[in-house]
Coordinates of all heavy atoms in Angstrom, one line a residue:
M14 N 83.9 -37.0 17.9 CA 84.6 -37.2 19.2 C 85.5 -36.0 19.5 O 85.8 -35.3 18.5 CB 85.7 -38.4 18.9 CG 86.4 -38.8 20.0 SD 87.2 -40.3 19.7 CE 88.9 -39.8 19.9
A15 N 85.7 -35.7 20.6 CA 86.4 -34.5 21.1 C 87.8 -34.7 20.7 O 88.3 -35.8 20.5 CB 86.3 -34.4 22.6
N16 N 88.5 -33.6 20.6 CA 89.9 -33.8 20.1 C 90.9 -34.0 21.2 O 90.4 -34.0 22.3 CB 90.3 -32.4 19.4 CG 90.5 -31.2 20.3 OD1 91.0 -31.4 21.4 ND2 90.3 -30.1 19.7
I17 N 92.0 -34.4 20.8 CA 93.0 -35.0 21.8 C 93.4 -34.0 22.8 O 93.6 -34.2 24.0 CB 94.3 -35.5 21.0 CG1 93.8 -36.7 20.2 CG2 95.3 -35.9 22.0 CD1 94.9 -37.1 19.3
R18 N 93.5 -32.7 22.4 CA 93.8 -31.6 23.3 C 92.8 -31.4 24.4 O 93.1 -31.3 25.6 CB 94.0 -30.3 22.5 CG 94.4 -29.1 23.4 CD 94.4 -27.8 22.5 NE 93.5 -27.9 21.4 CZ 93.5 -27.0 20.5 NH1 94.4 -26.2 20.4 NH2 92.6 -27.2 19.6
D19 N 91.6 -31.6 24.1 CA 90.6 -31.5 25.1 C 90.7 -32.7 26.1 O 90.4 -32.5 27.3 CB 89.2 -31.5 24.5 CG 88.8 -30.2 23.8 OD1 89.6 -29.2 24.1 OD2 88.0 -30.1 23.0
L20 N 90.9 -33.9 25.6 CA 91.1 -35.0 26.5 C 92.2 -34.8 27.4 O 92.1 -35.2 28.6 CB 91.3 -36.3 25.6 CG 91.5 -37.6 26.4 CD1 90.3 -37.9 27.3 CD2 91.7 -38.8 25.4
K21 N 93.5 -34.3 26.9 CA 94.5 -34.1 27.8 C 94.1 -33.1 28.9 O 94.6 -33.2 30.0 CB 95.7 -33.6 26.9 CG 96.3 -34.6 26.1 CD 97.5 -34.1 25.3 CE 98.2 -35.2 24.6 NZ 99.4 -34.7 23.8
K22 N 93.4 -32.0 28.4 CA 93.0 -31.0 29.4 C 92.1 -31.6 30.5 O 92.2 -31.3 31.6 CB 92.3 -29.9 28.8 CG 93.2 -28.9 28.0 CD 92.4 -27.9 27.4 CE 93.3 -26.9 26.6 NZ 92.5 -25.8 25.9
D23 N 91.2 -32.6 30.1 CA 90.2 -33.2 31.1 C 91.0 -34.1 32.0 O 90.9 -34.0 33.2 CB 89.3 -34.1 30.3 CG 88.3 -33.3 29.5 OD1 88.1 -32.1 29.8 OD2 87.5 -33.9 28.7
I24 N 92.0 -34.7 31.5 CA 92.9 -35.6 32.4 C 93.5 -34.7 33.4 O 93.5 -35.1 34.7 CB 93.9 -36.4 31.6 CG1 93.2 -37.4 30.7 CG2 95.0 -37.0 32.5 CD1 94.2 -38.0 29.7
N25 N 94.2 -33.6 32.9 CA 94.8 -32.7 33.8 C 94.0 -32.0 34.9 O 94.3 -32.1 36.0 CB 95.5 -31.5 33.0 CG 96.5 -30.7 33.8 OD1 97.1 -31.2 34.7 ND2 96.5 -29.5 33.5
F26 N 92.8 -31.5 34.4 CA 91.8 -31.0 35.4 C 91.3 -32.0 36.4 O 91.2 -31.6 37.5 CB 90.7 -30.2 34.6 CG 91.1 -29.1 33.8 CD1 90.6 -28.8 32.7 CD2 92.0 -28.2 34.3 CE1 90.8 -27.7 31.9 CE2 92.4 -27.1 33.7 CZ 91.8 -26.8 32.4
V27 N 90.8 -33.0 36.0 CA 90.3 -34.1 36.9 C 91.2 -34.5 38.0 O 90.9 -34.4 39.1 CB 89.7 -35.3 36.1 CG1 89.4 -36.4 37.0 CG2 88.5 -34.9 35.2
L28 N 92.4 -34.8 37.4 CA 93.4 -35.4 38.4 C 94.1 -34.2 39.2 O 94.3 -34.4 40.4 CB 94.5 -36.1 37.7 CG 93.9 -37.5 37.0 CD1 95.0 -38.2 36.2 CD2 93.4 -38.4 38.1
G29 N 94.1 -33.0 38.6 CA 94.6 -31.9 39.4 C 93.5 -31.5 40.5 O 93.9 -31.1 41.7
D30 N 92.2 -31.6 40.2 CA 91.2 -31.3 41.2 C 91.3 -32.3 42.3 O 91.1 -32.0 43.5 CB 89.8 -31.2 40.5 CG 89.6 -30.0 39.8 OD1 90.4 -29.1 40.0 OD2 88.5 -30.0 39.1
I31 N 91.6 -33.6 42.0 CA 91.7 -34.6 43.0 C 92.8 -34.3 44.0 O 92.7 -34.4 45.2 CB 91.8 -36.0 42.4 CG1 90.4 -36.4 41.8 CG2 92.2 -37.1 43.3 CD1 90.5 -37.7 40.9
I32 N 93.9 -34.0 43.4 CA 95.1 -33.6 44.2 C 94.8 -32.3 45.1 O 95.1 -32.3 46.4 CB 96.3 -33.4 43.3 CG1 96.8 -34.7 42.7 CG2 97.5 -32.8 44.1 CD1 97.8 -34.6 41.7
D33 N 94.1 -31.5 44.5 CA 93.7 -30.2 45.3 C 92.8 -30.6 46.5 O 92.9 -30.1 47.6 CB 93.1 -29.1 44.5 CG 94.0 -28.4 43.5 OD1 95.2 -28.5 43.8 OD2 93.4 -27.9 42.6
A34 N 91.9 -31.5 46.2 CA 90.9 -32.0 47.4 C 91.8 -32.7 48.4 O 91.4 -32.5 49.6 CB 89.9 -32.9 46.7
V35 N 92.7 -33.3 48.1 CA 93.6 -34.1 49.2 C 94.4 -33.0 50.0 O 94.3 -33.0 51.2 CB 94.6 -35.0 48.6 CG1 95.5 -35.5 49.5 CG2 93.9 -36.1 47.9
Y36 N 94.9 -32.0 49.2 CA 95.5 -30.9 50.0 C 94.6 -30.2 50.9 O 94.9 -29.7 52.0 CB 96.2 -29.9 49.1 CG 97.4 -30.4 48.4 CD1 97.7 -30.1 47.0 CD2 98.4 -31.2 49.1 CE1 98.9 -30.6 46.4 CE2 99.4 -31.9 48.4 CZ 99.7 -31.4 47.2 OH 100.9 -31.9 46.6
V37 N 93.4 -29.9 50.5 CA 92.3 -29.3 51.4 C 92.1 -30.2 52.5 O 92.0 -29.7 53.7 CB 91.0 -29.0 50.6 CG1 89.9 -28.6 51.4 CG2 91.3 -27.8 49.5
W38 N 92.0 -31.4 52.3 CA 91.7 -32.3 53.5 C 92.8 -32.3 54.4 O 92.6 -32.3 55.6 CB 91.5 -33.8 52.9 CG 91.3 -34.7 54.0 CD1 90.0 -35.1 54.5 CD2 92.2 -35.4 54.8 NE1 90.2 -36.0 55.7 CE2 91.6 -36.2 55.8 CE3 93.5 -35.6 54.7 CZ2 92.2 -37.1 56.6 CZ3 94.3 -36.5 55.6 CH2 93.5 -37.2 56.6
E39 N 94.0 -32.2 53.9 CA 95.2 -32.3 54.8 C 95.3 -30.9 55.6 O 95.7 -30.9 56.8 CB 96.6 -32.4 54.0 CG 96.8 -33.8 53.5 CD 98.0 -33.9 52.7 OE1 98.6 -32.9 52.3 OE2 98.4 -35.1 52.4
A40 N 94.9 -29.8 55.0 CA 94.9 -28.5 55.7 C 93.7 -28.6 56.7 O 93.9 -28.0 57.8 CB 94.7 -27.4 54.6
L41 N 92.7 -29.1 56.5 CA 91.6 -29.2 57.4 C 91.8 -30.2 58.7 O 91.2 -30.1 59.7 CB 90.3 -29.4 56.8 CG 89.8 -28.3 55.8 CD1 88.5 -28.8 55.1 CD2 89.6 -27.0 56.5
N42 N 92.6 -31.1 58.4 CA 92.9 -32.2 59.3 C 94.4 -32.3 59.6 O 95.0 -33.3 59.3 CB 92.4 -33.5 58.8 CG 90.9 -33.5 58.5 OD1 90.1 -33.5 59.5 ND2 90.5 -33.5 57.2
P43 N 95.0 -31.3 60.2 CA 96.5 -31.3 60.4 C 97.0 -32.4 61.3 O 98.1 -32.8 61.2 CB 96.8 -30.0 60.8 CG 95.5 -29.5 61.6 CD 94.4 -30.1 60.8
K44 N 96.2 -32.9 62.1 CA 96.6 -33.9 63.1 C 96.4 -35.4 62.7 O 97.0 -36.3 63.3 CB 95.9 -33.7 64.4 CG 96.3 -32.4 65.1 CD 95.6 -32.2 66.5 CE 96.0 -30.9 67.0 NZ 95.4 -30.7 68.4
E45 N 95.8 -35.5 61.5 CA 95.6 -36.9 61.0 C 96.8 -37.4 60.3 O 97.7 -36.6 60.0 CB 94.5 -36.8 59.9 CG 93.1 -36.5 60.5 CD 92.5 -37.6 61.4 OE1 92.8 -38.7 61.0 OE2 91.8 -37.3 62.2
D46 N 96.9 -38.7 60.2 CA 98.1 -39.4 59.5 C 98.0 -39.1 58.0 O 96.9 -39.3 57.5 CB 98.1 -40.8 59.9 CG 99.3 -41.5 59.4 OD1 100.3 -40.9 59.1 OD2 99.2 -42.8 59.1
R47 N 99.1 -38.7 57.5 CA 99.0 -38.3 56.0 C 99.4 -39.5 55.1 O 99.6 -39.1 54.0 CB 99.8 -37.1 55.9 CG 99.3 -35.9 56.5 CD 100.0 -34.7 56.1 NE 99.3 -33.5 56.7 CZ 99.7 -32.2 56.3 NH1 100.6 -32.0 55.6 NH2 99.0 -31.3 56.9
K48 N 99.7 -40.7 55.6 CA 100.2 -41.7 54.7 C 99.1 -41.9 53.6 O 99.5 -42.1 52.4 CB 100.4 -43.0 55.5 CG 101.7 -43.1 56.2 CD 102.0 -44.3 56.8 CE 103.2 -44.4 57.5 NZ 103.5 -45.7 58.2
E49 N 97.9 -42.1 54.0 CA 96.9 -42.5 53.0 C 96.7 -41.4 52.0 O 96.4 -41.5 50.8 CB 95.5 -42.8 53.7 CG 94.5 -43.2 52.7 CD 94.8 -44.7 51.9 OE1 95.6 -45.5 52.5 OE2 94.4 -44.6 50.8
S50 N 96.6 -40.2 52.5 CA 96.4 -39.0 51.6 C 97.6 -38.8 50.7 O 97.4 -38.5 49.4 CB 96.2 -37.7 52.4 OG 97.3 -37.4 53.2
E51 N 98.8 -39.1 51.1 CA 100.0 -39.0 50.3 C 99.9 -40.1 49.1 O 100.3 -39.9 48.0 CB 101.2 -39.1 51.0 CG 101.5 -37.7 51.9 CD 102.7 -37.8 52.8 OE1 103.4 -38.9 52.8 OE2 102.9 -36.8 53.5
A52 N 99.4 -41.2 49.6 CA 99.3 -42.4 48.7 C 98.2 -42.0 47.5 O 98.4 -42.4 46.4 CB 98.8 -43.6 49.4
V53 N 97.2 -41.3 47.9 CA 96.2 -40.9 47.0 C 96.9 -39.9 45.9 O 96.6 -40.0 44.8 CB 94.9 -40.2 47.5 CG1 94.1 -39.6 46.6 CG2 94.1 -41.2 48.4
I54 N 97.6 -39.0 46.4 CA 98.3 -38.1 45.5 C 99.3 -38.9 44.5 O 99.4 -38.6 43.4 CB 99.0 -37.0 46.4 CG1 98.1 -36.0 47.0 CG2 100.1 -36.2 45.4 CD1 98.8 -35.2 48.0
D55 N 100.0 -39.7 45.1 CA 100.9 -40.5 44.4 C 100.3 -41.4 43.3 O 100.7 -41.4 42.2 CB 101.8 -41.5 45.2 CG 102.8 -40.8 46.2 OD1 103.1 -39.6 45.9 OD2 103.2 -41.4 47.1
D56 N 99.0 -41.9 43.6 CA 98.3 -42.7 42.7 C 97.7 -41.8 41.5 O 97.6 -42.2 40.5 CB 97.2 -43.5 43.4 CG 97.8 -44.6 44.2 OD1 98.9 -45.0 44.0 OD2 97.0 -45.2 45.0
A57 N 97.3 -40.6 42.0 CA 96.8 -39.6 40.9 C 97.8 -39.2 40.0 O 97.6 -39.1 38.8 CB 96.2 -38.4 41.7
I58 N 99.0 -39.1 40.5 CA 100.2 -38.7 39.6 C 100.5 -39.9 38.6 O 100.7 -39.7 37.4 CB 101.4 -38.3 40.4 CG1 101.1 -36.9 41.0 CG2 102.6 -38.1 39.5 CD1 102.1 -36.4 42.1
A59 N 100.5 -41.1 39.2 CA 100.8 -42.3 38.4 C 99.7 -42.5 37.3 O 100.0 -42.8 36.2 CB 100.9 -43.4 39.3
T60 N 98.5 -42.2 37.7 CA 97.3 -42.3 36.8 C 97.4 -41.3 35.6 O 97.3 -41.6 34.5 CB 96.0 -42.1 37.5 OG1 95.8 -43.1 38.5 CG2 94.8 -42.1 36.6
F61 N 97.9 -40.1 36.0 CA 98.1 -39.1 35.0 C 99.1 -39.4 34.0 O 98.9 -39.4 32.8 CB 98.5 -37.8 35.7 CG 98.9 -36.7 34.7 CD1 98.0 -35.9 34.2 CD2 100.2 -36.4 34.4 CE1 98.3 -34.9 33.3 CE2 100.5 -35.4 33.4 CZ 99.5 -34.6 32.9
D62 N 100.2 -40.0 34.6 CA 101.3 -40.5 33.6 C 100.9 -41.6 32.7 O 101.1 -41.5 31.5 CB 102.6 -40.9 34.4 CG 103.2 -39.8 35.2 OD1 103.1 -38.5 34.9 OD2 104.0 -40.1 36.2
T63 N 100.1 -42.5 33.2 CA 99.6 -43.6 32.4 C 98.7 -43.2 31.4 O 98.9 -43.6 30.2 CB 99.0 -44.6 33.4 OG1 99.9 -45.2 34.3 CG2 98.4 -45.8 32.6
L64 N 97.7 -42.4 31.7 CA 96.7 -41.9 30.8 C 97.3 -41.0 29.7 O 97.0 -41.2 28.5 CB 95.6 -41.1 31.5 CG 94.7 -42.0 32.4 CD1 93.7 -41.2 33.1 CD2 94.1 -43.2 31.6
I65 N 98.3 -40.2 30.0 CA 98.9 -39.3 29.0 C 99.7 -40.2 28.1 O 99.7 -39.9 26.8 CB 99.7 -38.2 29.8 CG1 98.9 -37.1 30.4 CG2 100.6 -37.5 28.7 CD1 97.9 -36.4 29.4
T66 N 100.4 -41.1 28.6 CA 101.2 -42.0 27.7 C 100.2 -42.8 26.8 O 100.5 -42.9 25.5 CB 101.8 -43.1 28.6 OG1 102.8 -42.4 29.5 CG2 102.7 -44.0 27.8
K67 N 99.0 -43.2 27.3 CA 98.2 -43.8 26.3 C 97.5 -42.9 25.3 O 97.4 -43.3 24.1 CB 96.9 -44.4 27.2 CG 97.3 -45.6 27.9 CD 96.0 -46.2 28.7 CE 96.3 -47.4 29.5 NZ 95.1 -47.8 30.3
V68 N 97.4 -41.7 25.7 CA 96.9 -40.6 24.7 C 97.9 -40.4 23.6 O 97.6 -40.3 22.4 CB 96.4 -39.3 25.4 CG1 96.2 -38.3 24.4 CG2 95.2 -39.6 26.2
N69 N 99.1 -40.4 24.0 CA 100.2 -40.0 23.1 C 100.7 -41.2 22.2 O 101.5 -41.0 21.3 CB 101.4 -39.4 23.8 CG 101.0 -38.1 24.4 OD1 100.3 -37.4 23.9 ND2 101.8 -37.7 25.5
D70 N 100.1 -42.4 22.6 CA 100.6 -43.6 21.7 C 100.0 -43.7 20.4 O 98.8 -43.8 20.3 CB 100.1 -44.9 22.5 CG 100.7 -46.1 21.9 OD1 101.5 -46.1 21.0 OD2 100.3 -47.2 22.3
R71 N 100.7 -43.4 19.3 CA 100.2 -43.4 18.0 C 100.4 -44.7 17.3 O 100.0 -44.8 16.1 CB 101.0 -42.2 17.2 CG 100.7 -40.9 17.7 CD 101.6 -39.8 17.2 NE 101.4 -38.6 17.8 CZ 101.2 -37.4 17.3 NH1 101.0 -37.4 15.9 NH2 101.0 -36.4 18.0
K72 N 100.9 -45.7 17.9 CA 101.1 -47.0 17.4 C 100.0 -47.9 17.6 O 100.1 -49.0 17.1 CB 102.4 -47.6 17.8 CG 103.7 -46.7 17.5 CD 104.9 -47.4 18.0 CE 106.1 -46.5 17.8 NZ 107.4 -47.1 18.2
V73 N 98.9 -47.4 18.2 CA 97.7 -48.4 18.4 C 96.9 -48.5 17.0 O 97.1 -47.8 16.2 CB 96.8 -47.8 19.4 CG1 97.4 -47.7 20.8 CG2 96.2 -46.4 19.0
E74 N 96.3 -49.7 17.0 CA 95.7 -50.1 15.8 C 94.6 -49.2 15.5 O 94.3 -48.7 14.4 CB 95.2 -51.5 15.9 CG 94.7 -52.2 14.6 CD 94.5 -53.6 14.7 OE1 95.4 -54.3 15.2 OE2 93.4 -54.0 14.3
N75 N 93.8 -48.9 16.4 CA 92.4 -48.0 16.2 C 92.6 -46.8 17.3 O 92.2 -47.0 18.4 CB 91.2 -48.8 16.4 CG 90.0 -48.1 16.0 OD1 89.9 -46.7 16.1 ND2 89.0 -48.7 15.7
R76 N 93.1 -45.8 16.7 CA 93.3 -44.6 17.6 C 92.0 -44.1 18.3 O 92.0 -43.7 19.5 CB 94.0 -43.4 16.8 CG 94.4 -42.3 17.7 CD 95.8 -41.8 17.3 NE 96.1 -40.5 17.8 CZ 96.7 -40.4 19.0 NH1 97.1 -41.5 19.7 NH2 97.1 -39.2 19.5
G77 N 90.9 -44.1 17.6 CA 89.6 -43.5 18.1 C 89.2 -44.5 19.3 O 88.7 -43.9 20.3
K78 N 89.2 -45.7 19.2 CA 88.9 -46.7 20.2 C 89.7 -46.5 21.4 O 89.3 -46.7 22.6 CB 88.9 -48.1 19.7 CG 87.6 -48.4 18.9 CD 87.5 -49.9 18.6 CE 86.4 -50.2 17.6 NZ 86.3 -51.7 17.5
N79 N 91.0 -46.3 21.2 CA 92.0 -46.1 22.2 C 91.7 -44.8 23.1 O 91.7 -44.9 24.3 CB 93.5 -46.0 21.6 CG 94.5 -45.8 22.7 OD1 94.5 -46.5 23.7 ND2 95.2 -44.8 22.5
L80 N 91.3 -43.8 22.4 CA 91.0 -42.5 23.1 C 89.7 -42.7 23.7 O 89.6 -42.2 24.9 CB 90.9 -41.4 22.1 CG 92.3 -41.0 21.4 CD1 92.0 -40.0 20.4 CD2 93.4 -40.7 22.3
V81 N 88.7 -43.4 23.4 CA 87.5 -43.6 24.1 C 87.8 -44.5 25.3 O 87.3 -44.2 26.4 CB 86.5 -44.4 23.2 CG1 85.2 -44.9 23.9 CG2 85.9 -43.4 22.2
A82 N 88.7 -45.4 25.2 CA 89.1 -46.2 26.3 C 89.8 -45.4 27.4 O 89.6 -45.6 28.5 CB 90.0 -47.4 25.8
V83 N 90.6 -44.5 26.9 CA 91.4 -43.6 27.8 C 90.3 -42.7 28.6 O 90.5 -42.7 29.9 CB 92.4 -42.7 27.1 CG1 92.9 -41.7 28.0 CG2 93.6 -43.6 26.5
R84 N 89.4 -42.1 27.9 CA 88.4 -41.5 28.6 C 87.5 -42.4 29.7 O 87.3 -41.8 30.8 CB 87.3 -40.8 27.7 CG 86.3 -39.9 28.3 CD 85.6 -39.1 27.4 NE 86.3 -38.1 26.6 CZ 86.8 -37.0 27.2 NH1 86.5 -36.7 28.4 NH2 87.5 -36.1 26.3
A85 N 87.2 -43.5 29.3 CA 86.6 -44.5 30.2 C 87.6 -44.7 31.5 O 87.1 -44.9 32.7 CB 86.2 -45.7 29.6
D86 N 88.8 -44.9 31.2 CA 89.7 -45.2 32.4 C 89.9 -44.0 33.2 O 90.0 -44.1 34.4 CB 91.1 -45.5 31.8 CG 91.3 -46.8 31.1 OD1 90.4 -47.6 31.4 OD2 92.3 -47.1 30.4
L87 N 89.9 -42.7 32.6 CA 89.8 -41.5 33.4 C 88.6 -41.5 34.4 O 88.9 -41.2 35.6 CB 89.8 -40.4 32.5 CG 89.8 -39.0 33.2 CD1 91.0 -38.8 34.2 CD2 89.7 -37.8 32.2
E88 N 87.5 -41.9 33.9 CA 86.3 -41.8 34.7 C 86.4 -42.8 35.8 O 86.1 -42.5 36.9 CB 85.0 -42.0 33.8 CG 84.7 -40.9 32.9 CD 83.5 -41.2 32.1 OE1 82.7 -42.0 32.4 OE2 83.3 -40.4 31.0
K89 N 86.8 -44.1 35.5 CA 86.9 -45.1 36.4 C 88.0 -44.9 37.5 O 87.7 -45.0 38.7 CB 87.2 -46.4 35.7 CG 87.3 -47.6 36.7 CD 87.7 -48.9 35.9 CE 89.2 -48.9 35.7 NZ 89.8 -50.1 35.0
E90 N 89.2 -44.4 37.0 CA 90.2 -44.2 38.0 C 89.9 -42.9 38.8 O 90.2 -42.9 40.1 CB 91.6 -44.0 37.2 CG 92.1 -45.2 36.7 CD 92.5 -46.3 37.6 OE1 92.9 -46.1 38.7 OE2 92.2 -47.5 37.2
G91 N 89.4 -41.9 38.2 CA 89.0 -40.7 39.0 C 88.0 -41.0 40.1 O 88.1 -40.5 41.2
Q92 N 86.9 -41.7 39.7 CA 85.9 -42.2 40.8 C 86.5 -42.9 41.9 O 86.2 -42.7 43.0 CB 84.8 -43.0 40.1 CG 83.6 -43.1 41.0 CD 83.1 -41.8 41.5 OE1 82.8 -40.9 40.7 NE2 82.8 -41.7 42.9
A93 N 87.5 -43.9 41.5 CA 88.1 -44.6 42.6 C 89.0 -43.7 43.5 O 88.9 -44.0 44.8 CB 89.1 -45.7 42.0
L94 N 89.6 -42.8 42.9 CA 90.4 -41.9 43.8 C 89.5 -40.9 44.7 O 89.8 -40.7 45.8 CB 91.3 -40.9 42.9 CG 92.5 -41.7 42.3 CD1 93.2 -40.9 41.3 CD2 93.5 -42.2 43.3
I95 N 88.4 -40.5 44.1 CA 87.5 -39.7 44.9 C 86.8 -40.6 46.0 O 86.7 -40.1 47.1 CB 86.4 -39.2 43.9 CG1 86.9 -38.1 43.0 CG2 85.2 -38.6 44.7 CD1 86.1 -37.8 41.9
D96 N 86.6 -41.8 45.7 CA 86.1 -42.6 46.8 C 87.2 -42.9 47.9 O 86.8 -42.8 49.1 CB 85.7 -44.1 46.2 CG 84.5 -44.0 45.3 OD1 83.7 -43.0 45.4 OD2 84.4 -44.9 44.6
R97 N 88.3 -42.9 47.6 CA 89.5 -43.0 48.6 C 89.6 -41.7 49.4 O 89.8 -41.7 50.6 CB 90.8 -43.3 47.9 CG 90.9 -44.7 47.5 CD 92.1 -45.1 46.8 NE 93.3 -44.9 47.5 CZ 94.6 -44.9 47.0 NH1 94.7 -45.0 45.7 NH2 95.5 -44.5 47.7
I98 N 89.3 -40.5 48.7 CA 89.4 -39.3 49.4 C 88.3 -39.3 50.5 O 88.4 -38.8 51.5 CB 89.3 -38.0 48.5 CG1 90.6 -38.0 47.7 CG2 89.1 -36.8 49.2 CD1 90.5 -37.0 46.5
N99 N 87.1 -39.6 50.0 CA 85.9 -39.6 50.9 C 86.0 -40.6 52.1 O 85.4 -40.3 53.1 CB 84.7 -40.0 50.1 CG 84.2 -38.9 49.1 OD1 84.5 -37.7 49.3 ND2 83.5 -39.4 48.1
K100 N 86.9 -41.5 52.0 CA 87.0 -42.4 53.2 C 88.2 -41.9 54.1 O 88.3 -42.4 55.2 CB 87.6 -43.8 52.6 CG 86.5 -44.5 52.0 CD 86.9 -45.9 51.5 CE 85.8 -46.6 50.7 NZ 86.3 -47.9 50.2
L101 N 88.8 -40.8 53.8 CA 89.9 -40.3 54.6 C 89.3 -39.8 56.0 O 88.5 -39.4 56.3 CB 90.8 -39.3 54.0 CG 91.6 -39.7 52.8 CD1 92.2 -38.5 52.1 CD2 92.6 -40.6 53.2

């Protein structure tokens, strides 16, 4: 299994890239309403906070399974945010 530092970097890079994609969309569409794009950014930040909290939780019964679940959550939530960006 990959180490925790790599998982934290993956979380940071994936969600950071999603936020960057929203900023690019906003720059290319200056006349569009930004409520939905700002909501995507807010959700990406909330997802980041949640996933990092789960990674840092040392009180879980099985830490390895917890980290695998965090990686799965990252993929699921990341894909959901990407789908929302594509609908903008």
Side-chain angles (χ1 to χ4, degrees):
M14 186 168 117
N16 71 36
I17 295 170
R18 180 179 32 195
D19 289 340
L20 179 57
K21 287 181 179 181
K22 285 181 182 180
D23 289 345
I24 292 169
N25 190 34
F26 289 141
V27 168
L28 296 173
D30 286 346
I31 289 171
I32 292 170
D33 286 343
V35 173
Y36 286 144
V37 168
W38 181 87
E39 287 178 346
L41 294 174
N42 300 291
K44 294 182 181 182
E45 295 289 328
D46 185 23
R47 292 187 175 190
K48 279 186 180 181
E49 184 60 32
S50 62
E51 290 173 1
V53 172
I54 292 172
D55 292 342
D56 291 345
I58 293 169
T60 299
F61 175 85
D62 292 342
T63 301
L64 294 177
I65 292 296
T66 300
K67 287 181 181 180
V68 169
N69 290 333
D70 186 12
R71 294 175 189 227
K72 296 179 182 178
V73 295
E74 192 170 311
N75 187 337
R76 186 136 166 93
K78 285 186 179 180
N79 181 50
L80 296 176
V81 169
V83 169
R84 185 167 294 282
D86 287 347
L87 173 61
E88 290 179 19
K89 183 182 78 172
E90 294 295 327
Q92 187 60 48
L94 290 168
I95 291 169
D96 291 343
R97 287 176 57 191
I98 292 170
N99 291 333
K100 290 180 183 177
L101 292 177

